[in-house]
Amino acid sequence: MSAANLRLDLPDMPEAAAQLRLDVRAFIDEERKAGRLPPPERVGLGFSQEMTKRIAARGWIGLTWPKKYGGQERSALERYVVTEELLAAAVPVGAHWVADRQSGPVLLKFGTEEQRQEYLPRIVAGECGFCIGMSEPESGSDLASLKSRAQKVDGGWKINGRKIWTTNAHRVHYMIALVRTSVVEGARHAGISQLIIDLQAPGVTISPIISMAGEHDFNEVLLEDVFVPDKALIGQEGNGWNQVSAELAYERSGPERWLSSFRLIAELIDVLGPDARPSSQEELGRLLSHLLALRQLSMSVASMIQQGQTPNLEAAIVKDLGTKFEQEAVRVVRNIVSAENLTAHGRADRLKALLIHAQQYSPAFTIRGGTNEILRGIIAKGIGLR
Amino acid sequence: MSDNQQFFRDTAERILADRLEQKHIVAAESRVLPGELFATLAENGIFLMLVPEEQGGIGASVAEALAILKPAGSAAAPGPLLETMLGNGLLAQAGVAPVEGTIALAFVGADELAGAVTLHDVGWGGLADHVLVVADDAGRARLTLSAGADWLATPGEGAAGEPSDRLSAPSLPGASAVLDAAGSYADALRRAALLRAGQQLGAIEWSFTRSIDYTGERSQFGKPIAKFQVIQQMLAELAGHVLAASTLLDAAAVGLSETLVAAAISRVGDAADSAIAICHQVHGAIGYSKEYALNYRTRRLMAWRADFGGVEYWRGALARGFITATREQFWPAVSDAGLQGAA
Ligand SMILES: Cc1cc2nc3c(=O)[nH]c(=O)nc-3n(C[C@H](O)[C@H](O)[C@H](O)COP(=O)(O)OP(=O)(O)OC[C@H]3O[C@@H](n4cnc5c(N)ncnc54)[C@H](O)[C@@H]3O)c2cc1C
């Protein structure tokens, strides 16, 4: 490995992306004017089925998918533009986020024609959402050790097991569950499959888990003799591990990995003026340099994906850097708020609320979607150390 | 990388491989310029990179100049290479012909030039053939070119052991010209600092690559230290710094936007800090020895971060560009900062 190999080409945005960006901004303006998008007091993805419907009405869900499923066949870079504009403005996109980012693409890549026909048009219309059923109580980073099992029965599968930390399971319609369908001695990554579970099905029990930020976002999902038909199997039986690995690449390099704290920085900048002390300006400048670097990295990786490459190393780096940046941003904003005495005596109440929430939320940044230690393991492999 | 950039990079790497040995790098700490290297760079027109073709130069872009300076930083090349290259470029902007020999650069406020003049911390100041003083004259760059011999030099050195001298004269010697464009002083300083960041990136990349190799060569507890997870995690962290710094530097070199240049300098500064800490940590004591090549890169990183404004100055400059924005204006400002691909 030499450092020269660790280099990203600068991307070219398609012409149409500029207009699309303006369209998204115009939409956001309208939403603000209509009072449907108040300045946020929390970080994280908000959840609003109504907002998802309005975004769907613009055609911005499933933007890259084939037209026959309701998509627009536009490029990954254009999708990038839409997502970063929505996230930067703190538009609540949680209701379609997982379906648009990964469930839909997984169905396009591995699903049957019947599955695509059934789910994709509804995702595009903002009518159905998905959640990710990977983690289990005993299987976090070591996902391949998972124990939930699907047993072959007449006409389908019978599932038993327990999924945990399942974000939005209580609000969306389907879960793509990763389960063991066979045991292959000495090959722990084999025998794992992906099944679509209707969360209304008998035998599914969803219990809330309250986060330290006081929110009900994730859940425990108990699966007791849950029957799913044969057509619920995604891709090949036993190939789930490879399918999930492909899915994780979509998950890692997107702007959501460095925009979680953005609204906090925006709020700070709103309050801060040119009279801020030099040390505050230096800290802020340092933070902004990381923000700009991440944005360039993220766009470059999106462009590689667009060109059909699989930039796994680079994507892992973007997530490692991005999530660390999100935490660092909270720390820097806190320091500046404190040094400049910005929120004392009832000044800047919104900044104060946002900062409290961001601090409570920030430990999750470097855990969800795979911990940074696991990511660095992937990076170490990529640079030839493992 | 464009074909031109590749060509300049290859040229620089070839010259550095042929003309720069460890003994020259060591000798620079005894105030000896690597003469052969500089003669060969001059023969190859490297010091005329930033002089337009109409004025007898190569007419290269800043991105192309970086393609020379990154390998120079990687090789720990001593001497006022950047300064001579940029100095000739600035002279050309003022319509002055390029000079023979080396140039030391000093950026100062115009008020520092009245009466008896003292310039501090001038890299290779006492040894350069020429001294080019770039003064901030109400935002415009006032250039004053003098001979090195016009100054009384008090030798000093920076963290890399390269000369960093105090120059004094009873009054400012030499001939002056003002670059008319508004903001020409900031523009010159910005280019100098960006090019310096390129040298830093080269030294960072060298240190990173050497550390990866070293952790494969060194065994403890019966296995290469690269197999220890802690070592892997540290180098993975550094990989992120390398990728982020190089990508932003490339982006900044394209449009030279004020925002991006300041951001790139700041980002490279963080990568440098991380490289110094991590590369030394994974090397253990051998890296701390003067004989081992790592310190010739890491000490340059320590010295270079303070040059041409210094990392903290650029961080402040970056923040000032955003600090008056409202929460709604902030994102458009980020999005319009000139990043590549950001339609
Ligand atoms: C906000 C949030 C939302 C989430 N949403 C979902 C969801 O929707 N669906 C879903 O399936 N999961 C979800 N998760 C779970 C998430 O994927 C896991 O938390 C994550 O994979 C880590 O697993 P764990 O929590 O069991 O930690 P563990 O794996 O037990 O790790 C604990 C610590 O040990 C370290 N560690 C573990 N193995 C190694 C190793 N080999 N080398 C070095 N260090 C190691 C980890 O890095 C960590 O620091 C969510 C988590 C959070 C916080």
Side-chain angles (χ1 to χ4, degrees):
Chain A
M1 176 74 199
S2 103
N5 307 341
L6 204 58
R7 169 143 284 140
L8 282 169
D9 287 334
L10 300 175
D12 285 322
M13 253 321 152
E15 292 280 322
Q19 184 55 46
L20 185 57
R21 192 183 289 286
L22 296 178
D23 293 346
V24 180
R25 285 190 187 169
F27 169 77
I28 290 166
D29 260 357
E30 276 173 41
E31 291 294 306
R32 281 193 182 129
K33 289 207 181 91
R36 290 190 291 250
L37 203 55
E41 297 200 351
R42 308 181 86 81
V43 297
L45 293 186
F47 191 104
S48 160
Q49 200 68 57
E50 296 71 46
M51 181 61 84
T52 282
K53 287 245 170 68
R54 288 200 292 278
I55 293 170
R58 305 283 169 137
W60 295 333
I61 302 178
L63 194 66
T64 61
W65 304 350
K67 292 197 167 133
K68 64 173 170 172
Y69 306 121
Q72 316 253 347
E73 301 186 5
R74 295 180 75 162
S75 68
L77 283 160
E78 287 165 278
R79 176 176 183 275
Y80 172 89
V81 165
V82 171
T83 55
E84 78 168 0
E85 287 295 329
L86 294 176
L87 291 172
V91 177
V93 292
H96 64 270
W97 188 254
V98 165
D100 179 62
R101 181 184 66 185
Q102 69 196 88
S103 315
V106 161
L107 292 178
L108 274 173
K109 194 158 179 190
F110 302 106
T112 61
E113 186 54 33
E114 190 186 357
Q115 285 166 344
R116 294 177 192 161
Q117 297 282 2
E118 181 168 356
Y119 300 106
L120 299 183
R122 286 159 64 206
I123 296 174
V124 167
E127 285 165 8
C128 93
F130 277 71
C131 64
I132 304 166
M134 295 191 193
S135 304
E136 297 184 3
E138 299 304 322
S139 303
S141 301
D142 184 13
L143 187 57
S145 71
L146 58 85
K147 295 192 181 61
S148 293
R149 264 198 73 97
Q151 207 186 338
K152 191 72 195 87
V153 294
D154 208 22
W157 301 85
K158 195 173 70 185
I159 309 169
N160 278 287
R162 204 183 281 273
K163 291 293 172 183
I164 195 168
W165 317 125
T166 324
T167 301
N168 289 332
H170 60 307
R171 297 168 171 143
V172 298
H173 312 80
Y174 301 98
M175 170 164 84
I176 296 183
L178 193 66
V179 298
R180 194 158 275 295
T181 42
S182 57
V183 178
V184 185
E185 265 326 306
R188 58 203 299 267
H189 294 131
I192 294 176
S193 306
Q194 285 184 302
L195 290 167
I196 303 171
I197 298 179
D198 183 338
L199 292 167
Q200 301 296 320
V204 177
T205 310
I206 300 169
S207 321
I209 306 176
I210 305 302
S211 72
M212 68 180 265
E215 287 159 315
H216 175 198
D217 281 335
F218 50 30
N219 303 273
E220 186 177 62
V221 182
L222 181 63
L223 305 166
E224 291 170 304
D225 286 338
V226 176
F227 175 80
V228 297
D230 280 326
K231 64 175 188 181
L233 176 71
I234 303 176
Q236 277 175 308
E237 190 273 317
N239 191 40
W241 188 260
N242 294 332
Q243 295 172 195
V244 162
S245 305
E247 190 176 333
L248 289 177
Y250 310 123
E251 229 200 283
R252 283 196 180 122
S253 62
E256 70 273 25
R257 296 306 178 191
W258 47 273
L259 280 172
S260 306
S261 302
F262 184 80
R263 61 196 74 168
L264 179 65
I265 308 172
E267 199 61 35
L268 174 76
I269 282 183
D270 193 70
V271 172
L272 209 60
D275 53 343
R277 62 195 69 196
S279 57
S280 297
Q281 302 205 16
E282 279 165 29
E283 274 215 83
L284 178 63
R286 173 168 176 267
L287 198 65
L288 294 174
S289 74
H290 283 253
L291 176 70
L292 290 164
L294 279 160
R295 182 159 185 257
Q296 185 66 69
L297 289 174
S298 207
M299 289 192 293
S300 298
V301 172
S303 151
M304 286 173 83
I305 292 173
Q306 176 64 31
Q307 290 160 21
Q309 293 166 267
T310 41
N312 285 336
L313 168 63
E314 292 80 0
I317 288 180
V318 173
K319 183 162 184 261
D320 179 39
L321 288 173
T323 53
K324 288 281 177 197
F325 160 80
E326 292 182 320
Q327 283 177 345
E328 175 74 355
V330 176
R331 193 188 63 80
V332 168
V333 172
R334 182 208 60 195
N335 288 358
I336 295 175
V337 163
S338 164
E340 306 285 333
N341 204 13
L342 293 177
T343 59
H345 308 299
R347 290 191 298 263
D349 275 344
R350 185 176 295 123
L351 176 58
K352 185 176 172 184
L354 199 48
L355 179 56
I356 289 174
H357 185 248
Q359 289 183 79
Q360 294 171 340
Y361 199 99
S362 63
F365 295 149
T366 49
I367 297 169
R368 60 179 178 185
T371 71
N372 288 52
E373 291 70 36
I374 296 299
L375 291 171
R376 287 184 183 181
I378 294 166
I379 299 166
K381 197 173 228 150
I383 59 176
L385 293 175
R386 294 174 57 200
Chain B
M1 198 183 290
S2 73
D3 289 350
N4 274 353
Q5 280 165 265
Q6 190 64 52
F7 167 77
F8 286 122
R9 189 181 181 99
D10 293 346
T11 305
E13 282 176 349
R14 181 173 43 75
I15 296 173
L16 289 159
D18 288 353
R19 293 284 181 260
L20 182 67
E21 293 170 38
Q22 180 65 15
K23 65 176 186 209
H24 300 124
I25 303 177
V26 173
E29 300 191 24
S30 311
R31 303 181 65 81
V32 180
L33 184 83
E36 265 187 68
L37 172 67
F38 270 69
T40 311
L41 290 171
E43 278 161 28
N44 282 271
I46 300 299
F47 297 130
L48 304 178
M49 285 285 288
L50 297 173
V51 175
E53 280 176 287
E54 316 77 88
Q55 288 170 270
I58 293 187
S61 66
V62 168
E64 287 158 356
L66 280 170
I68 302 277
L69 288 167
K70 285 183 210 169
S74 172
L81 202 168
L82 177 163
E83 290 85 341
T84 304
M85 194 193 274
L86 180 62
N88 279 322
L90 292 172
L91 289 172
Q93 271 180 276
V96 176
V99 295
E100 294 271 331
T102 55
I103 301 175
L105 273 184
F107 284 84
V108 296
D111 53 343
E112 292 170 61
L113 298 179
V117 183
T118 303
L119 308 172
H120 297 275
D121 306 320
V122 183
W124 294 86
L127 296 157
D129 300 311
H130 310 274
V131 173
L132 182 63
V133 176
V134 186
D136 181 358
D137 193 347
R140 291 185 168 76
R142 178 140 57 86
L143 307 178
T144 308
L145 180 67
S146 54
D150 293 340
W151 298 84
L152 176 70
T154 311
E157 61 177 47
E162 288 192 54
S164 179
D165 303 336
R166 189 161 72 219
L167 302 181
S168 39
S171 65
L172 181 65
S176 290
V178 175
L179 299 185
D180 274 333
S184 57
Y185 176 82
D187 185 61
L189 187 65
R190 194 177 303 123
R191 278 189 289 158
L194 188 72
L195 293 170
R196 189 62 104 211
Q199 281 176 299
Q200 293 180 65
L201 187 70
I204 292 166
E205 291 187 340
W206 186 95
S207 306
F208 173 62
T209 306
R210 177 84 281 271
S211 296
I212 290 176
D213 292 345
Y214 180 75
T215 59
E217 294 156 12
R218 172 73 171 168
S219 281
Q220 286 293 283
F221 298 97
K223 56 182 180 185
I225 57 171
K227 297 297 155 203
F228 293 111
Q229 197 185 35
V230 181
I231 299 280
Q232 295 172 358
Q233 299 264 314
M234 285 195 280
L235 290 172
E237 181 183 345
L238 182 54
H241 280 287
V242 171
L243 189 68
S246 69
T247 306
L248 192 57
L249 188 66
D250 286 349
V254 177
L256 295 178
S257 93
E258 281 177 46
T259 305
L260 284 197
V261 171
I265 295 162
S266 166
R267 189 64 192 81
V268 170
D270 273 342
D273 287 348
S274 173
I276 293 169
I278 289 174
C279 295
H280 278 292
Q281 193 62 24
V282 304
H283 269 86
I286 188 89
Y288 188 63
S289 70
K290 186 86 189 256
E291 194 185 344
Y292 190 84
L294 181 61
N295 78 88
Y296 291 95
R297 276 74 185 180
T298 53
R299 284 188 298 126
R300 280 183 168 72
L301 291 176
M302 295 168 194
W304 285 338
R305 84 185 302 288
D307 289 346
F308 306 126
V311 170
E312 281 64 33
Y313 167 80
W314 293 104
R315 287 182 179 157
L318 178 57
R320 281 191 290 285
F322 287 91
I323 213 160
T324 53
T326 63
R327 73 172 73 75
E328 286 81 16
Q329 290 165 339
F330 179 44
W331 173 251
V334 169
S335 145
D336 293 345
L339 292 171
Q340 290 306 300

